[in-house]
Amino acid sequence: MRKSLLLLSVLFLAPILAACNQGLAYGDPQAVIVAAAEEGWRDMQDSVFAVLGPDVYTLRAERSFRLTHQIPGGDDWVRLRRFKEVVIIGAPDDTWMTEALSEVDDPDGYEVPGIAETKDVWAKNQSVTLMLVDRDRDVAEQVYAMVGDVHSILDQRFREGAFTRMFVSGTKEELADSLQETAGFTLTLPDVYRWAVEDSLYIFRNDNPEPAELIRQFGVTWLTPIPDSMTVDSLMTWREAVADSSYDYPQVVKRDELYPLQKALGSWPITEVRGTWSNPPGSWPAAGPFIFWALTCPEQDRLYFLDAWLYAPGKDKWEYIIQLETVLNSFRCGL
């Protein structure tokens, strides 16, 4: 009887002990391991990687995800399969697919070809996306049909994680209420931001951990009445004047590398300009991306200027660009 109880205890504890021995996943959310058999991969790699990790414009074009291919069972497989973000490609009876399918909520509910998702297969806090293929059909054709949807899964997960990390300190709720009462607009900002106002220019800044390492800053002001029209060139001239008078250092705009776009935030029309700022020649060689909005708020007869910029030397910038976009999209006026 005691032996039976001991055996039951071992069987019960085995999965728990296995989970405890997994350890935390490696890497950061932009590092994605793509596992697929060597056969046929060389012909697919460029196309698959182009869709899974498209370029995003920050200070320059950079990959949204850093992708690494690994052959399951290869020399580095045991280590790389423990990354936070793993995409695996194969037939359901391939060993690496079987291991992941055993962790899917409904192990028998998948389709072939098809996509499945699961967690913590080889490490804790890990996300695994499965691209299930039929090896008796054209594998590349099946993969190409699914890879766009897999990118959407990775992109959404990364953006949700960026949002969570951004607001881990909480939000400045009292500031949002105060801005609405005193200035007629609101922004939702993480609690770590400082703010100041000079005349009608509101500046919100986060330079943690050190200004030499990372700065995220927003400037908000407006013109009344709403001008009949303003060109992109005149908006950039205005931006340079504000930076010269009110920012810590002047900033000049690379006029030949501007990306203007007409869009809207709810019912408010926006002229958006993305580009690169840099310190003037002869000064400290700093530069970074910016997102500039000219937003029309007819209820207040105001043309708002919102200037969001980033300084992050030597860092991947996509997550910080998402942070800038998140704050800009929280803007409200005339409520």
Side-chain angles (χ1 to χ4, degrees), residues 5 12 37 84-85 92 114 136 188 194 203 226 243 251 321:
L5 290 174
F12 175 76
K84 289 182 179 178
E85 195 72 61
D136 294 327
T188 301
R194 307 191 313 275
I203 293 179
I226 297 172
Q251 296 181 2
I321 292 294

Side-chain angles (χ1 to χ4, degrees), residues 272-274 289-293 306-308 321 324-325 328:
E272 177 182 280
V273 183
R274 298 194 185 216
F290 71 85
I291 307 173
F292 184 92
W293 279 10
L306 287 77
D307 182 38
I321 292 294
L324 299 185
E325 293 171 344
L328 287 173

Side-chain angles (χ1 to χ4, degrees), residues 14-330:
I16 298 175
L17 292 173
C20 292
N21 290 332
Q22 279 185 329
L24 291 174
Y26 300 141
D28 63 74
Q30 282 185 261
V32 180
I33 306 302
V34 181
E38 186 173 19
E39 182 181 358
W41 174 252
R42 183 174 297 179
D43 295 332
M44 291 190 293
Q45 177 170 333
D46 289 346
S47 297
V48 171
F49 275 17
V51 177
L52 285 183
D55 285 344
V56 290
Y57 181 83
T58 56
L59 183 59
R60 59 188 62 83
E62 67 178 53
R63 285 289 191 183
S64 50
F65 295 106
R66 300 187 302 278
L67 302 161
T68 301
H69 171 247
Q70 175 61 38
I71 300 170
D75 293 341
D76 294 324
W77 173 237
V78 172
R79 177 176 62 88
L80 294 181
R81 71 183 183 180
R82 298 183 61 198
F83 267 57
K84 289 182 179 178
E85 195 72 61
V86 178
V87 175
I88 57 177
I89 304 172
D93 59 353
D94 286 325
T95 303
W96 61 96
M97 304 298 287
T98 301
E99 292 175 0
L101 282 170
S102 68
E103 300 297 328
V104 173
D105 289 341
D106 183 4
D108 299 318
Y110 59 85
E111 296 181 358
V112 180
I115 299 170
E117 297 179 70
T118 189
K119 297 275 189 183
D120 304 342
V121 178
W122 297 289
K124 295 178 183 177
N125 298 326
Q126 177 186 65
S127 296
V128 179
T129 306
L130 297 78
M131 300 175 69
L132 295 146
V133 299
D134 181 350
R135 68 165 61 89
D136 294 327
R137 296 164 51 190
D138 187 326
V139 171
E141 182 179 329
Q142 297 172 70
V143 170
Y144 296 154
M146 293 186 283
V147 69
D149 290 335
V150 172
H151 169 259
S152 296
I153 290 170
L154 299 181
D155 183 80
Q156 180 179 351
R157 188 152 51 227
F158 182 81
R159 290 177 181 275
E160 290 172 352
F163 182 88
T164 300
R165 291 185 290 274
M166 177 183 178
F167 287 104
V168 70
S169 64
T171 61
K172 282 189 172 296
E173 295 181 4
E174 293 183 2
L175 173 60
D177 294 338
S178 175
L179 288 173
Q180 177 60 47
E181 293 178 5
T182 61
F185 72 87
T186 65
L187 279 178
T188 301
L189 290 151
D191 197 47
V192 292
Y193 274 73
R194 307 191 313 275
W195 72 285
V197 57
E198 178 182 336
D199 296 327
S200 62
L201 175 64
Y202 290 76
I203 293 179
F204 310 91
R205 181 181 175 102
N206 177 7
D207 52 18
N208 292 300
E210 294 289 341
E213 297 180 22
L214 183 60
I215 302 172
R216 287 148 288 182
Q217 181 167 308
F218 299 86
V220 181
T221 189
W222 58 86
L223 290 179
T224 300
I226 297 172
D228 291 336
S229 64
M230 293 194 74
T231 65
V232 169
D233 194 58
S234 65
L235 292 173
M236 294 300 97
T237 299
W238 177 89
R239 185 191 186 279
E240 289 181 344
V242 169
D244 187 53
S245 64
S246 302
Y247 292 175
D248 288 347
Y249 299 96
Q251 296 181 2
V252 295
V253 173
K254 292 187 177 181
R255 301 291 179 102
D256 59 341
E257 297 180 3
L258 296 177
Y259 299 88
L261 175 68
Q262 297 298 318
K263 56 190 293 184
L265 182 67
S267 62
W268 301 306
I270 298 170
T271 297
E272 177 182 280
V273 183
R274 298 194 185 216
T276 302
W277 64 267
S278 61
N279 287 161
S283 59
W284 179 259
F290 71 85
I291 307 173
F292 184 92
W293 279 10
L295 183 148
T296 303
C297 191
E299 298 90 338
Q300 297 174 310
D301 197 20
R302 288 180 178 180
L303 176 66
Y304 279 95
F305 295 147
L306 287 77
D307 182 38
W309 60 270
L310 169 69
Y311 177 61
K315 293 181 171 65
D316 290 328
K317 296 172 178 60
W318 184 36
E319 178 159 351
Y320 300 125
I321 292 294
I322 292 173
Q323 292 182 9
L324 299 185
E325 293 171 344
T326 299
V327 172
L328 287 173
N329 287 324
S330 75

